[in-house]
Amino acid sequence: MNLATYARRNLFRRRGRTILTVLAVAVAVLIFSAIRTVGVTFNAAADDAMSDRLATRHKVSITMQLPRRYIDEVRAIPGVTGATAANWFGAKDPKERIPFFAGFAADDKWFDVFDDMKVDPAQLAEWKTTPSGVILGDILAKTFGVKPGDRLTITSDIYPGDWEFKVVGIYMPQRRTVDRNSLILHWEYLNNDPRAELTKDQIGWVMTRIGGGVKSADMSRTIDKIFDERDDQTVTMSERAFNLSFIGAFAAVLTAFDLVSIVILLIMMLILANTIAMSVRERTNEYGVLRAIGFPPRHIVGFILAESLLVAFVGGLVGIGLVQVLINMGIGPFIEANMASMFPYFRTPPSVMLTALGLALALGLLAGVLPARGASRLRVTDALRRTD
Amino acid sequence: MATEDSIVTLKNVTKTFYRGKEPIKVLEGLDLDVPTGSFEALMGPSGSGKSTLLNLIAGLDRPTSGDVMVAGANLSRMSDGQLAKWRSQTIGFVFQSFNLIPVLTAAQNVELPLLLTDLGSADRKKRVATALRVVGLEDRMDHYPRQLSGGQEQRVAIARAIVNDPKIIVADEPTGDLDRKSADDVLTLMDKLNKELGKTIFMVTHDPAAAEKASVQRKLDKGALQ
């Protein structure tokens, strides 16, 4: 036997209460991890952005268009290895099988710049020669139930009427954060349609790939300087900054989520503190006996903190197990399959799980501090008299 | 008068408690000598100060004034930490309600005081076995308190009290929660500890039969020894 034996045995003294407290900690860790996962995966696309890809948009707003000729000027800059332009199409599924997906009209170079969207060469070649051809992400194709060769009718928030396309290819993601729910049509096809008269010969944004020795900040300045004296000035940024600009509106929500996740853990701490306080009260007489036979107050503090930490640790481990089963093996794959536009990747990373466990331990320690302090300060004679 | 072989000497000891601002004198000008190797019983009505006196001798409390000398140490001048260490080396406790730890076996309960020593696991086990043999419970080592009778629990508590080889055993109503038969067994055991192992025993009791077993009976009333 050693001193830890007593702390360990105390854990199972009130088995039901300990199990409920462990479950409370586990659920808190699960909820904390789930909420943090939303934030982490929401930012994952930005965090996972390619460092050699730049985005150029109108200086005023992404909603304002740039002249088409800009793309040729960008391509001519030394150090640029590829560039592509696109217009937002505002695609919608007329049958509403999916609430939102990205649809945009891109030029022929799109898949050169976005080589992490892998397309079969034959399908890519067909897309380049088929004006009404579209390439879809694999999950979107599955949702629509289409394969290469099928016809697909899409509507748009921006351009009226039905748009008939021929599915010519499916792209496969080469990285986990690539959106698998996008539809890419031909820029020329859109540009030549009378319904797109207002955006004729205009492009929404430019994506540029730069060579190895080129610094992205230098290239951004170079691009913007070219258009500095024009009517339509540009702002060029890293792909990460570009992606972040889209989720900026959600930043406040994500911050609120973070606060909620902390509150959940604080509630966990109060539950744990209550359990430990009850246990300590029940054992006051015992602590009096231990003190009488010579155990110093620091040992009493140690017993109580060890018990609190053990409950938090076991609860944290159970919580991580729940995260693994319920999120990473359960709703994670489901969300990726059904909400890929928002969450192409939805798994709780080990860093979040370790943070949850670390916070549970820290708060577990904190939960034990007050009861431990109280017990250690009791006069031995008073503690020996207590029988409740 | 204090003698050279006194293990407990109290000189002009006063203990005052406060109820709010009102002082309550429990012990007043008390002198006491307990010779080494004696078995003394302290009797008296409730509220007479028996437990207070026992707590002072055991180093659980300090006097308001006066000196408490036990086994060569002046307890009045020791800090809480020093007192705790001193208790672990000098005093064996026997309580009325046994006060065993319910989640530990008989052997583990007896081993508790040894965890504060430098003894290794094997030495601790030997000492525990010896202590349980002295109280006649070597076959109940792995039993939990709930699996023992009241008398057996008190004998385990006595084993815990002697495992550290203390100089003095203080017992607070050791037979108070026991039936007559078990009480007699416990008293016989305490008598054996006193006579065969030479342990000094200072016992507080309401039970005249228990007091009969002691070699010296003292009476405390209104804070003064009669």
Side-chain angles (χ1 to χ4, degrees):
Chain A
M1 186 178 80
N2 53 42
L3 292 175
T5 310
Y6 178 58
R8 206 172 54 241
R9 296 273 176 86
N10 277 336
L11 257 192
F12 300 103
R13 211 151 167 171
R14 302 264 181 182
R15 204 175 291 261
R17 189 164 71 195
T18 302
I19 289 172
L20 286 175
T21 310
V22 163
L23 282 179
V25 174
V27 170
V29 165
L30 172 66
I31 296 174
F32 173 87
S33 300
I35 292 174
R36 288 284 163 149
T37 303
V38 172
V40 167
T41 53
F42 218 89
N43 286 306
D47 294 341
D48 209 28
M50 300 281 280
S51 58
D52 63 347
R53 250 183 339 226
L54 302 177
T56 303
R57 63 163 172 83
H58 197 286
K59 193 171 186 178
V60 176
S61 161
I62 181 73
T63 58
M64 295 189 68
Q65 303 279 302
L66 298 168
R68 179 190 188 176
R69 63 176 182 281
Y70 277 21
I71 182 69
D72 298 324
E73 294 184 55
V74 170
R75 282 182 183 133
I77 299 170
V80 170
T81 57
T84 183
N87 271 3
W88 187 250
F89 183 67
K92 284 182 73 176
D93 174 22
K95 294 180 184 168
E96 295 182 348
R97 284 163 294 191
I98 178 167
F100 173 83
F101 63 96
F104 42 87
D107 67 21
D108 285 354
K109 304 293 182 194
W110 181 269
F111 291 99
D112 296 336
V113 174
F114 286 88
D115 54 0
D116 44 1
M117 300 164 84
K118 186 86 176 164
V119 187
D120 178 82
Q123 292 178 352
L124 188 58
E126 188 182 351
W127 181 66
K128 287 181 178 176
T129 56
T130 309
S132 65
V134 288
I135 292 179
L136 283 70
D138 60 324
I139 289 181
L140 188 61
K142 200 173 163 191
T143 306
F144 286 155
V146 294
K147 57 186 185 309
D150 289 349
R151 309 299 300 183
L152 180 65
T153 302
I154 293 294
T155 56
S156 162
D157 279 338
I158 305 167
Y159 307 103
D162 287 345
W163 290 75
E164 289 281 340
F165 296 114
K166 181 188 178 190
V167 177
V168 294
I170 309 290
Y171 73 82
M172 299 298 294
Q174 298 302 295
R175 291 188 303 145
R176 65 181 192 183
T177 51
V178 169
D179 179 13
R180 297 159 75 181
N181 261 337
S182 291
L183 175 145
I184 300 106
L185 60 130
H186 271 293
W187 184 87
E188 290 287 353
Y189 185 68
L190 176 67
N191 197 52
N192 293 334
D193 195 290
R195 287 173 285 184
E197 187 59 37
L198 280 174
T199 55
K200 185 81 177 165
D201 291 331
Q202 292 180 334
I203 52 178
W205 71 96
V206 174
M207 296 300 298
T208 305
R209 201 80 186 259
I210 56 177
V214 182
K215 286 184 180 168
S216 60
D218 292 343
M219 181 58 77
S220 298
R221 275 193 294 275
T222 304
I223 294 172
D224 292 340
K225 199 172 177 191
I226 291 173
F227 307 114
D228 209 23
E229 302 297 323
R230 312 279 179 85
D231 288 345
D232 298 294
Q233 292 150 16
T234 60
V235 57
T236 301
M237 62 196 85
S238 65
E239 185 178 34
R240 175 182 157 77
F242 190 59
N243 290 343
L244 276 174
S245 69
F246 290 107
I247 62 172
F250 294 98
V253 178
L254 292 177
T255 304
F257 271 30
D258 282 351
L259 284 176
V260 170
S261 70
I262 296 294
V263 169
I264 299 274
L265 286 186
L266 287 177
I267 292 171
M268 176 215 87
M269 186 188 80
L270 293 177
I271 293 171
L272 187 53
N274 186 46
T275 302
I276 298 298
M278 277 196 284
S279 303
V280 167
R281 187 179 169 77
E282 288 166 0
R283 288 178 217 146
T284 302
N285 179 266
E286 251 174 65
Y287 294 137
V289 173
L290 291 174
R291 291 283 307 281
I293 62 179
F295 282 85
R298 67 171 190 280
H299 279 159
I300 307 299
V301 169
F303 291 140
I304 295 168
L305 291 185
E307 188 178 341
S308 188
L309 272 174
L310 267 173
V311 172
F313 182 64
V314 174
L317 286 185
V318 173
I320 285 178
L322 289 176
V323 168
Q324 197 63 26
V325 171
L326 297 180
I327 298 180
N328 288 353
M329 294 161 69
I331 61 167
F334 177 81
I335 287 175
E336 287 168 15
N338 294 280
M339 299 170 68
S341 297
M342 217 163 203
F343 300 108
Y345 180 80
F346 194 92
R347 306 290 166 103
T348 306
S351 60
V352 168
M353 290 191 246
L354 286 176
T355 303
L357 183 63
L359 284 173
L361 283 175
L363 292 174
L365 193 67
L366 213 57
V369 165
L370 276 184
R373 189 167 169 265
S376 69
R377 289 188 169 193
L378 265 176
R379 292 178 68 222
V380 184
T381 48
D382 290 341
L384 282 171
R385 267 199 293 271
R386 286 266 282 272
T387 52
D388 55 341
Chain B
M1 287 297 290
T3 59
E4 277 186 13
D5 65 346
S6 290
I7 191 164
V8 177
T9 305
L10 272 68
K11 281 185 189 164
N12 199 24
V13 165
T14 300
K15 182 67 185 177
T16 306
F17 292 106
Y18 287 86
R19 186 182 292 144
K21 286 184 178 174
E22 183 196 351
I24 300 167
K25 277 197 173 171
V26 178
L27 301 176
E28 193 169 5
L30 192 136
D31 294 317
L32 172 68
D33 276 304
V34 177
T36 302
S38 65
F39 182 0
E40 299 208 357
L42 181 65
M43 299 187 75
S46 293
S48 58
K50 300 187 299 295
S51 294
T52 302
L53 177 56
L54 191 80
N55 289 340
L56 291 177
I57 292 171
L60 296 175
D61 209 351
R62 289 193 196 83
T64 308
S65 64
D67 285 321
V68 178
M69 307 282 294
V70 182
N74 189 341
L75 308 191
S76 317
R77 293 175 192 167
M78 288 166 81
S79 68
D80 283 351
Q82 287 170 326
L83 271 179
K85 192 172 181 188
W86 175 85
R87 284 197 302 269
S88 73
Q89 295 166 345
T90 318
I91 302 287
F93 286 92
V94 181
F95 303 96
Q96 178 178 348
S97 307
F98 329 133
N99 286 343
L100 298 179
I101 308 290
V103 289
L104 301 179
T105 63
Q108 289 169 333
N109 266 287
V110 175
E111 192 181 354
L112 268 176
L114 298 178
L115 295 179
L116 296 167
T117 67
D118 295 331
L119 291 174
S121 175
D123 288 338
R124 292 204 305 265
K125 278 200 173 84
K126 269 187 210 162
R127 284 238 204 163
V128 168
T130 305
L132 282 169
R133 198 176 314 119
V134 168
V135 301
L137 285 176
E138 63 267 48
D139 58 338
R140 294 284 191 275
M141 271 192 164
D142 297 324
H143 286 58
Y144 285 90
R146 65 176 180 279
Q147 298 167 318
L148 301 171
S149 68
Q152 287 172 330
E153 279 195 78
Q154 192 61 300
R155 279 150 66 195
V156 172
I158 291 171
R160 180 178 67 187
I162 61 171
V163 75
N164 246 356
D165 195 21
K167 293 189 171 70
I168 179 167
I169 295 169
V170 294
D172 191 0
E173 303 273 8
T175 57
D177 281 4
L178 298 176
D179 59 53
R180 189 70 263 157
K181 167 78 174 59
S182 301
D184 286 342
D185 288 346
V186 164
L187 289 167
T188 302
L189 176 59
M190 290 174 77
D191 191 49
K192 181 177 148 189
L193 293 177
N194 174 246
K195 290 203 170 77
E196 293 178 16
L197 301 178
K199 296 292 172 197
T200 305
I201 299 175
F202 193 83
M203 173 177 70
V204 163
T205 183
H206 273 113
D207 179 6
E212 281 291 310
K213 285 276 183 184
S215 49
V216 178
Q217 289 95 32
R218 296 178 190 269
K219 283 199 175 149
L220 189 67
D221 194 15
K222 294 177 185 165
L225 285 167
Q226 306 297 301

